[in-house]
């Protein structure tokens, strides 16, 4: 028996009163979905999503750093867009361990 955990939420969320950006939910792995909308708008959605991806991945918008053995990186998953670069296993060993903590 298997379990599938799913969550549907807007890709971009703003404060309803101020219009200030509060959260971005973006994942290149799971980004093939299209929220419920008329088919005519789906092409516009995917064009906008592609542009958002280009902006996120632009070198000018990227900060790179290397973690070393024993380093710990803690961040709020809803406040930091993050990812990892490619890795060649013939050049060394990579071990990443993720964990989630409730914020209440």
């Amino acid at each position: 028996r298997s379990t599938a955990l799913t969550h549907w939420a807007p890709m971009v969320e703003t404060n309803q009163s101020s219009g200030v950006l509060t959260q971005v939910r973006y994942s290149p792995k799971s980004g093939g979905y299209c929220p419920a909308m008329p088919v005519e708008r789906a092409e516009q959605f995917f064009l906008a999503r592609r542009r958002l991806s280009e902006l996120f991945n632009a070198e000018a918008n990227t900060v790179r750093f290397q973690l070393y053995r024993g380093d710990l990186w803690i961040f709020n998953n809803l406040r930091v867009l993050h990812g990892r670069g490619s890795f060649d296993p013939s050049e060394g060993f990579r071990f990443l361990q993720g964990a989630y903590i409730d914020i209440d």
Side-chain angles (χ1 to χ4, degrees):
R1 188 172 147 171
S2 64
T3 301
L5 302 175
T6 60
H7 176 72
W8 293 94
M11 189 177 302
V12 175
E13 190 170 307
T14 58
N15 179 292
Q16 291 182 352
S17 300
S18 66
V20 171
L21 180 69
T22 55
Q23 289 184 10
V24 175
R25 296 174 185 89
Y26 171 83
S27 171
K29 321 184 272 198
S30 60
Y33 81 94
C34 184
M37 66 177 63
V39 174
E40 309 80 52
R41 291 191 53 214
E43 182 177 352
Q44 182 182 8
F45 168 82
F46 283 112
L47 288 172
R49 188 183 187 292
R50 180 176 294 130
R51 179 65 182 133
L52 189 61
S53 175
E54 290 168 354
L55 290 169
F56 288 158
N57 290 292
E59 202 57 41
N61 298 326
T62 302
V63 175
R64 296 181 190 278
F65 60 94
Q66 184 170 348
L67 296 175
Y68 297 94
R69 180 180 292 233
D71 285 350
L72 178 66
W73 185 31
I74 299 174
F75 56 90
N76 183 330
N77 207 34
L78 296 176
R79 302 278 301 172
V80 177
L81 290 172
H82 58 283
R84 325 177 247 296
S86 61
F87 178 76
D88 182 348
S90 69
E91 295 179 2
F93 177 72
R94 176 188 247 182
F95 175 78
L96 298 172
Q97 180 67 53
Y100 295 92
I101 299 172
D102 289 334
I103 303 179
D104 54 352

